[in-house]
Amino acid sequence: MVNETHGHKPRTQAAHRSRRWFMNKALLAGGVSAVAVMGGYAATQAGAETTAAADTSASPSASPSGPPAGGPGGGPMAIAYDDFVGVTTDGTVIDDLYAIHSTGVSTTPVVRAAAAFVDSLTDDQKSSTLYEVDADQWLEWTNVDSNDRDGLALRDMTENQSGLALKLLKAALSARGLKQANSIRKLNQYLGEYSGDTTKALNEDAYWFTVMGTPSATEAWGFQFEGHHLVINYFVLGDQVVMTPTFMGSEPTKITYDGVNYHLFREETTAGLKLLRSLNSTQFAAALSDQEKSGDDLSVGAYQDNNVVPYAGVKGSDLNRRQQQLLLDLAEVYVGYQDEGHARVRMREIEKHLDDTYFLWMGEYEDDSAFYYRIHSPVVLIEYDAQHPLAWHEEEDGSSASPSASASGTPSASASTLPGGAPGGQSAEPTQQHIHTIIRTPNGNDYGVDLLKLHLATDH
């Protein structure tokens, strides 16, 4: 597919896959030893963070029939776009869930913002940033603190380009979503200062943009914004938008930095607890998983696009009206990170399947407990997971450790030990100071794949 607007052929699939896949699969399959080539603190923590994610046996309903093996050590690897099926409950896609239709919500602001950003790029930048609309690039995202990414990073843009890039992000997200994204980036900067090294992937500008297709009011296109703890996939077709998978996380989540008090994922935490505590004893027993909370229970993170996740938990049809509203309120916390108009469209889609929506809980349920929960229906899958600490720890008195106090820690410290000598890694107890979340569109419409297939079949 040729980008007619700019006279530039977007990057093809094979040009970058081998290098990118080798590094990402080494991260997932080989742990710390496999990422030594990356060097420094970023490599060490990336290995620790992804090793646990690769072991789906600890997930509440993960299946070995998820992403195919093939990376070093037999670990999971990104599938090709043509092999994408999507998250299902049994390997079979439910048909006729999605349709091309008018939402009545304009996409003009995001189309204009994307076009302006693309127009600002040099030819060399376009060659590494623009892809075909059905590129494998969609599926090759990772949330680890790696510099091995495609596209153009904020730190490598001119002031004008970075301004246009952030305007694109602003157009795609709600005010709350933009604040969340900026806060995640800011705490990534903090983590770099805490580790004593902000020169690699631990800073607020180590986030990359890629654009798939040509920004258009009628044709399919989209963009990806990717970096440590923050990945946004944004697909557009006419006035329809699919903003999944979207991954958001942070370590730490609650801290004072540069005079600003941050408390990320507070709404996700409190809304989840509120729904759980509304359940009666029978509902509670159905919602509670019989598996113990581990340090990493996310089942549909990076490289898990085709995972099989059976329904589990208490069913929406078994909730009363107040509880059903609390379930919708919880889902809206995540959906509401995209622009308000399309968030309303998405919530109507989710509400349509409310009776067939399941809520699962794993772990304790005190205000400060480390727990996992999942919302799962034919059209949405949301996971919240309080994970084991990898890169940061609180002082014994509960105060926040300052970057300057730990700057003497070597960047190449062991992933099994946090700066300052506190225990970390997979053996450490999970904590609300390290949270991962993800929202997906099951049954084939992550990355807008199902809509693109319908578009190509009916309109071309």
PDB file of all heavy atoms in Angstrom, residues 283-298:
ATOM      1  N   GLN A 283     -22.268 -14.249  45.606  1.00  0.00           N
ATOM      2  CA  GLN A 283     -21.593 -13.571  44.502  1.00  0.00           C
ATOM      3  C   GLN A 283     -20.092 -13.490  44.752  1.00  0.00           C
ATOM      4  O   GLN A 283     -19.288 -13.676  43.834  1.00  0.00           O
ATOM      5  CB  GLN A 283     -22.178 -12.165  44.331  1.00  0.00           C
ATOM      6  CG  GLN A 283     -23.631 -12.128  43.908  1.00  0.00           C
ATOM      7  CD  GLN A 283     -24.222 -10.738  44.083  1.00  0.00           C
ATOM      8  OE1 GLN A 283     -23.818  -9.973  44.975  1.00  0.00           O
ATOM      9  NE2 GLN A 283     -25.201 -10.414  43.251  1.00  0.00           N
ATOM     10  N   PHE A 284     -19.723 -13.202  45.987  1.00  0.00           N
ATOM     11  CA  PHE A 284     -18.316 -13.094  46.351  1.00  0.00           C
ATOM     12  C   PHE A 284     -17.587 -14.414  46.102  1.00  0.00           C
ATOM     13  O   PHE A 284     -16.482 -14.446  45.568  1.00  0.00           O
ATOM     14  CB  PHE A 284     -18.180 -12.666  47.806  1.00  0.00           C
ATOM     15  CG  PHE A 284     -16.771 -12.497  48.280  1.00  0.00           C
ATOM     16  CD1 PHE A 284     -16.106 -11.294  48.109  1.00  0.00           C
ATOM     17  CD2 PHE A 284     -16.092 -13.544  48.891  1.00  0.00           C
ATOM     18  CE1 PHE A 284     -14.796 -11.133  48.536  1.00  0.00           C
ATOM     19  CE2 PHE A 284     -14.794 -13.395  49.335  1.00  0.00           C
ATOM     20  CZ  PHE A 284     -14.132 -12.189  49.151  1.00  0.00           C
ATOM     21  N   ALA A 285     -18.220 -15.505  46.493  1.00  0.00           N
ATOM     22  CA  ALA A 285     -17.616 -16.820  46.286  1.00  0.00           C
ATOM     23  C   ALA A 285     -17.419 -17.102  44.803  1.00  0.00           C
ATOM     24  O   ALA A 285     -16.414 -17.711  44.400  1.00  0.00           O
ATOM     25  CB  ALA A 285     -18.495 -17.898  46.923  1.00  0.00           C
ATOM     26  N   ALA A 286     -18.345 -16.652  43.969  1.00  0.00           N
ATOM     27  CA  ALA A 286     -18.222 -16.859  42.527  1.00  0.00           C
ATOM     28  C   ALA A 286     -17.128 -15.978  41.930  1.00  0.00           C
ATOM     29  O   ALA A 286     -16.427 -16.384  40.991  1.00  0.00           O
ATOM     30  CB  ALA A 286     -19.556 -16.569  41.850  1.00  0.00           C
ATOM     31  N   ALA A 287     -16.966 -14.785  42.472  1.00  0.00           N
ATOM     32  CA  ALA A 287     -15.988 -13.836  41.931  1.00  0.00           C
ATOM     33  C   ALA A 287     -14.566 -14.200  42.302  1.00  0.00           C
ATOM     34  O   ALA A 287     -13.623 -13.925  41.543  1.00  0.00           O
ATOM     35  CB  ALA A 287     -16.296 -12.423  42.421  1.00  0.00           C
ATOM     36  N   LEU A 288     -14.373 -14.801  43.468  1.00  0.00           N
ATOM     37  CA  LEU A 288     -13.031 -15.026  43.988  1.00  0.00           C
ATOM     38  C   LEU A 288     -12.372 -16.230  43.323  1.00  0.00           C
ATOM     39  O   LEU A 288     -12.918 -17.333  43.333  1.00  0.00           O
ATOM     40  CB  LEU A 288     -13.090 -15.237  45.501  1.00  0.00           C
ATOM     41  CG  LEU A 288     -11.773 -15.082  46.266  1.00  0.00           C
ATOM     42  CD1 LEU A 288     -11.236 -13.662  46.135  1.00  0.00           C
ATOM     43  CD2 LEU A 288     -11.976 -15.430  47.738  1.00  0.00           C
ATOM     44  N   SER A 289     -11.198 -16.007  42.767  1.00  0.00           N
ATOM     45  CA  SER A 289     -10.438 -17.079  42.133  1.00  0.00           C
ATOM     46  C   SER A 289      -9.924 -18.048  43.191  1.00  0.00           C
ATOM     47  O   SER A 289      -9.623 -17.655  44.320  1.00  0.00           O
ATOM     48  CB  SER A 289      -9.260 -16.501  41.356  1.00  0.00           C
ATOM     49  OG  SER A 289      -8.411 -17.531  40.888  1.00  0.00           O
ATOM     50  N   ASP A 290      -9.807 -19.325  42.814  1.00  0.00           N
ATOM     51  CA  ASP A 290      -9.246 -20.308  43.745  1.00  0.00           C
ATOM     52  C   ASP A 290      -7.727 -20.377  43.646  1.00  0.00           C
ATOM     53  O   ASP A 290      -7.092 -21.192  44.306  1.00  0.00           O
ATOM     54  CB  ASP A 290      -9.846 -21.692  43.499  1.00  0.00           C
ATOM     55  CG  ASP A 290      -9.633 -22.192  42.080  1.00  0.00           C
ATOM     56  OD1 ASP A 290      -8.950 -21.495  41.295  1.00  0.00           O
ATOM     57  OD2 ASP A 290     -10.149 -23.280  41.751  1.00  0.00           O
ATOM     58  N   GLN A 291      -7.135 -19.505  42.803  1.00  0.00           N
ATOM     59  CA  GLN A 291      -5.688 -19.437  42.702  1.00  0.00           C
ATOM     60  C   GLN A 291      -5.143 -18.311  43.563  1.00  0.00           C
ATOM     61  O   GLN A 291      -5.796 -17.280  43.745  1.00  0.00           O
ATOM     62  CB  GLN A 291      -5.261 -19.213  41.247  1.00  0.00           C
ATOM     63  CG  GLN A 291      -5.529 -20.416  40.349  1.00  0.00           C
ATOM     64  CD  GLN A 291      -4.968 -20.198  38.955  1.00  0.00           C
ATOM     65  OE1 GLN A 291      -5.194 -19.161  38.350  1.00  0.00           O
ATOM     66  NE2 GLN A 291      -4.242 -21.176  38.450  1.00  0.00           N
ATOM     67  N   GLU A 292      -3.951 -18.505  44.095  1.00  0.00           N
ATOM     68  CA  GLU A 292      -3.316 -17.480  44.895  1.00  0.00           C
ATOM     69  C   GLU A 292      -2.728 -16.394  44.006  1.00  0.00           C
ATOM     70  O   GLU A 292      -2.258 -16.656  42.907  1.00  0.00           O
ATOM     71  CB  GLU A 292      -2.206 -18.094  45.759  1.00  0.00           C
ATOM     72  CG  GLU A 292      -2.713 -19.007  46.860  1.00  0.00           C
ATOM     73  CD  GLU A 292      -1.597 -19.462  47.776  1.00  0.00           C
ATOM     74  OE1 GLU A 292      -0.465 -18.940  47.624  1.00  0.00           O
ATOM     75  OE2 GLU A 292      -1.852 -20.319  48.630  1.00  0.00           O
ATOM     76  N   LYS A 293      -2.723 -15.182  44.524  1.00  0.00           N
ATOM     77  CA  LYS A 293      -2.104 -14.061  43.817  1.00  0.00           C
ATOM     78  C   LYS A 293      -0.601 -14.276  43.754  1.00  0.00           C
ATOM     79  O   LYS A 293       0.046 -14.593  44.747  1.00  0.00           O
ATOM     80  CB  LYS A 293      -2.412 -12.756  44.550  1.00  0.00           C
ATOM     81  CG  LYS A 293      -1.743 -11.512  43.967  1.00  0.00           C
ATOM     82  CD  LYS A 293      -2.468 -11.056  42.742  1.00  0.00           C
ATOM     83  CE  LYS A 293      -1.811  -9.824  42.117  1.00  0.00           C
ATOM     84  NZ  LYS A 293      -0.579 -10.153  41.368  1.00  0.00           N
ATOM     85  N   SER A 294      -0.038 -14.127  42.567  1.00  0.00           N
ATOM     86  CA  SER A 294       1.412 -14.220  42.402  1.00  0.00           C
ATOM     87  C   SER A 294       1.971 -12.833  42.142  1.00  0.00           C
ATOM     88  O   SER A 294       1.261 -11.833  42.243  1.00  0.00           O
ATOM     89  CB  SER A 294       1.761 -15.171  41.250  1.00  0.00           C
ATOM     90  OG  SER A 294       1.474 -14.564  40.002  1.00  0.00           O
ATOM     91  N   GLY A 295       3.228 -12.770  41.777  1.00  0.00           N
ATOM     92  CA  GLY A 295       3.842 -11.477  41.495  1.00  0.00           C
ATOM     93  C   GLY A 295       3.516 -10.918  40.134  1.00  0.00           C
ATOM     94  O   GLY A 295       3.763  -9.746  39.859  1.00  0.00           O
ATOM     95  N   ASP A 296       2.930 -11.747  39.260  1.00  0.00           N
ATOM     96  CA  ASP A 296       2.582 -11.299  37.908  1.00  0.00           C
ATOM     97  C   ASP A 296       1.490 -12.207  37.378  1.00  0.00           C
ATOM     98  O   ASP A 296       1.747 -13.358  37.037  1.00  0.00           O
ATOM     99  CB  ASP A 296       3.811 -11.353  36.997  1.00  0.00           C
ATOM    100  CG  ASP A 296       3.525 -10.856  35.581  1.00  0.00           C
ATOM    101  OD1 ASP A 296       2.350 -10.549  35.289  1.00  0.00           O
ATOM    102  OD2 ASP A 296       4.465 -10.784  34.783  1.00  0.00           O
ATOM    103  N   ASP A 297       0.257 -11.694  37.308  1.00  0.00           N
ATOM    104  CA  ASP A 297      -0.885 -12.509  36.883  1.00  0.00           C
ATOM    105  C   ASP A 297      -1.541 -12.007  35.599  1.00  0.00           C
ATOM    106  O   ASP A 297      -2.602 -12.519  35.208  1.00  0.00           O
ATOM    107  CB  ASP A 297      -1.916 -12.552  38.006  1.00  0.00           C
ATOM    108  CG  ASP A 297      -1.387 -13.260  39.237  1.00  0.00           C
ATOM    109  OD1 ASP A 297      -1.174 -14.483  39.166  1.00  0.00           O
ATOM    110  OD2 ASP A 297      -1.149 -12.591  40.261  1.00  0.00           O
ATOM    111  N   LEU A 298      -0.940 -11.028  34.940  1.00  0.00           N
ATOM    112  CA  LEU A 298      -1.511 -10.512  33.695  1.00  0.00           C
ATOM    113  C   LEU A 298      -1.507 -11.619  32.640  1.00  0.00           C
ATOM    114  O   LEU A 298      -0.481 -12.266  32.418  1.00  0.00           O
ATOM    115  CB  LEU A 298      -0.691  -9.320  33.207  1.00  0.00           C
ATOM    116  CG  LEU A 298      -1.444  -8.216  32.470  1.00  0.00           C
ATOM    117  CD1 LEU A 298      -2.393  -7.498  33.415  1.00  0.00           C
ATOM    118  CD2 LEU A 298      -0.469  -7.212  31.874  1.00  0.00           C
TER     119      LEU A 298
END
